[in-house]
Amino acid sequence: MRICYRILIASLLVIGTACSSKAPDLLRLATIKDIMDSMVEPSGDFVFESVQEISDEHGITEKAPKTNAEWEGVRRHLFVLLEAPNLMTMGDRKAARPEDRSRYPQVENEPEEIQKLLDADRPSFIRRARRLQDAAALAMKAVDAKNKDALFHAINDIDKACENCHLHYWYPKDKRAREAAKEDGVTDN
């Protein structure tokens, strides 16, 4: 009985040492497009819609978080916008799967074109992703202060950061978007 007990303890120690010596490699199946579609876009939409000035036949109506729960909802979505750039820029994450073909190839790049741009100048992609984080961090400060005006301005910066990246990688051939970006002060540096 003692021999079985010692063998069991020795086995558990070996297994425990093997498990703790190296963490297993995690799968990286998501592409940048997957992260954008599943995380960034829904969270961005929520944040963009959190503070608005709506003009209609009834006049101008302001929409902004009022309760603690509403501010907390914006905060949760901002965390996604703060963290998603870390995910998108990890290692050699692919832009999109080859089968994720553009719906509008006359203005949008195909996955292999996007990947070439990313591979040619990774630091620029990281810099663009960082702009999203910086804008989201400003928005988070506005949420912490429950300052709807500061949040409104930070949302504009989030939009500019997103548009700057998309104009460079995803739809650089879209002349209308480029003109609108120029008018709005969005640069493509």
Side-chain angles (χ1 to χ4, degrees), residues 90-110:
M90 281 178 64
D92 58 351
R93 188 175 302 278
K94 298 297 179 196
R97 286 183 249 305
E99 62 269 17
D100 289 334
R101 307 311 293 169
S102 168
R103 288 188 220 157
Y104 309 103
Q106 63 276 18
V107 294
E108 294 177 346
N109 279 340
E110 295 295 353

Side-chain angles (χ1 to χ4, degrees), residues 48 51-53 63 142 147-157:
F48 293 153
V51 178
Q52 297 178 8
E53 286 185 353
K63 177 185 175 193
N147 184 332
K148 70 175 177 65
D149 295 326
L151 179 57
F152 184 79
H153 291 294
I155 287 170
N156 188 46
D157 291 343

